[in-house]
Structures are given as C-alpha cells and as structure tokens.
Amino acid sequence: LECPFHRWQFNGDGVCTHIPYADKIPKAADTNAYFVCEYYGQILFWYHAQRQEPEYMPPEIEAMTTGNMLRRGATCTAVNMHIQEFAENSTDFQHFDPLHGQMTLPFSPIPIPFLRINHRPGWKEGKGAEKHRCWFLDHADLYFAGHTIPKTDAHATINFIGPASLVFFLFETELGKIVLFQTHTPLAGTRQEVHFEWWADVQLPRGLVFYVVGNWIAQWRND
C-alpha cells in the first residue's frame, strides 16, 4: 500500500518498506495491520479495541452461493446514529405501524394514499457458536383502504452480525429472492456511513427489485 501524500509504502503486516526521501526507515514508521476478507464483492476488516484476533467470520449466504443472482444497484449516505442503534431499533415492534405502516414511493417519503403495510415482526437470538448473530423477522403484506391485497405476502429475514456493522436482508417473494446488504462504517462516535448494495435472482423483474429495495430504504430513513 502506498500513501498518496508522501508515497510511503507498507506491506500487508503494516511494516513501512519504503520512504522515497529516507535511506533508513525508522521503526516508528510502522503502522497497524488489520485482518481483512472479501465478502461478496465487499472488503471487510476486523477491528478490536484490545487488538484481539477475529472471533468469528461473516456467514455464507446460501442464496448467493448456490443461486443465480445479479448485482442490481447500490447507494450510500451518512447518518447521525450510534452503530448499535439500528439493531436495537429492530426490537421495538410497537413503532412499526406508526413509522412504517404507510407505503411510500420507492426511495422517497412521498406517501401512496390508502396503501398501507401490515407488519408482523419477530426476533431470534443466536446461541453458542452463533452468539454474535441475531435475526429480525418481518412478514408483511399490503392492504388498500382497509382491505388486504391478495398475493402481496413477502417475508424478510434481517441478519445482524456483530454490533450491526454488517447487516444483510433476505427478501423472499413468490417470484424469487433479493439480498440487500447494509453496512455501517463508523466516522465518529455517533456518525455512520451507511452503504446499501442489492442483488436479485436473475428472473426477478428489475422494476420489482427497485420497488422492494426502494421501499425498504425509504422506511429505514423514517427511523
């Protein structure tokens, strides 16, 4: 790795191997190295305040490993929140109807009149080797002017790994599956860069994928 500011070079262990204007490299030039891995096109790194080695690895996503999915989009934004707030918020089932009951246009706060979402949420904690994981479960359908719309059922499983720095959603519909990654990169104590990236079964219409993902991100912004 080369720093663009002074062109110092470092190897994968954090050891400084080259300083263009120095014949001798001081030990103090060395820096920290972190465990990294590639995860479905993303680069993840392990950070521990006491410099401990990784205690777990990100899980395999069967739908992406064995299925036929294509990357369909990505977006990024920054929000003022603590990194754990997103996971903690998912256990507050009573806020779903007031904040997330109204259907909106994808990626926007504009409501669609008379169209609402009926959420039936659930929660599961990991045990033993999966104690670093938890799952938020949301079964939902749509109703218009108080009447349920047939065949609008969808099931979402939201996977939290660690302190919610890595989150991914599995949306299951009658036509196929969508995987939505939501990752958090801390910029400060209560400031996070939030990156969304989504993949979908190749047979799913792009319009449907846009609609499902766009509505979820719109609902997330309500929080």
Side-chain angles (χ1 to χ4, degrees):
L1 298 176
E2 182 178 276
C3 172
F5 200 59
H6 293 102
R7 293 187 175 173
W8 291 21
Q9 295 179 357
F10 301 85
N11 66 18
D13 295 320
V15 176
C16 184
T17 58
H18 179 66
I19 298 177
Y21 45 83
D23 295 328
K24 185 177 180 180
I25 301 174
K27 184 65 177 173
D30 295 347
T31 188
N32 293 330
Y34 298 92
F35 175 86
V36 299
C37 68
E38 184 177 353
Y39 188 61
Y40 300 109
Q42 304 171 82
I43 300 298
L44 308 182
F45 76 93
W46 171 269
Y47 175 81
H48 194 288
Q50 283 78 46
R51 307 283 298 164
Q52 294 182 17
E53 292 298 311
E55 298 170 4
Y56 54 84
M57 293 293 290
E60 177 183 336
I61 303 176
E62 185 178 357
M64 295 191 66
T65 304
T66 62
N68 187 21
M69 287 194 156
L70 294 176
R71 184 180 184 272
R72 291 304 193 191
T75 187
C76 189
T77 188
V79 294
N80 295 322
M81 57 172 265
H82 190 277
I83 197 168
Q84 288 183 204
E85 284 187 54
F86 178 67
E88 293 171 351
N89 178 65
S90 68
T91 65
D92 177 16
F93 296 163
Q94 303 309 317
H95 87 278
F96 271 76
D97 186 64
L99 239 61
H100 305 304
Q102 177 66 57
M103 177 65 80
T104 66
L105 294 177
F107 298 99
S108 84
I110 302 172
I112 301 175
F114 308 111
L115 188 61
R116 295 190 63 81
I117 311 168
N118 180 28
H119 293 279
R120 296 183 292 282
W123 178 263
K124 185 174 72 171
E125 295 181 19
K127 306 292 184 182
E130 291 191 321
K131 65 181 181 180
H132 59 280
R133 297 184 64 182
C134 55
W135 295 266
F136 169 61
L137 311 170
D138 187 25
H139 190 86
D141 52 23
L142 302 180
Y143 56 102
F144 181 77
H147 299 283
T148 301
I149 303 176
K151 296 186 177 180
T152 58
D153 283 29
H155 184 75
T157 302
I158 297 87
N159 293 255
F160 297 90
I161 298 95
S165 53
L166 173 61
V167 179
F168 68 88
F169 302 68
L170 177 62
F171 297 101
E172 299 179 82
T173 72
E174 289 188 4
L175 298 178
K177 298 177 181 178
I178 301 169
V179 172
L180 169 65
F181 291 102
Q182 177 175 333
T183 57
H184 304 90
T185 302
L187 304 177
T190 54
R191 182 80 171 164
Q192 314 294 323
E193 181 180 85
V194 185
H195 180 79
F196 294 96
E197 182 174 317
W198 53 96
W199 298 66
D201 284 337
V202 66
Q203 76 272 12
L204 273 176
R206 290 195 179 207
L208 177 60
V209 176
F210 176 85
Y211 183 80
V212 171
V213 172
N215 271 282
W216 186 272
I217 293 178
Q219 297 293 338
W220 166 81
R221 285 175 175 155
N222 288 345
D223 289 308

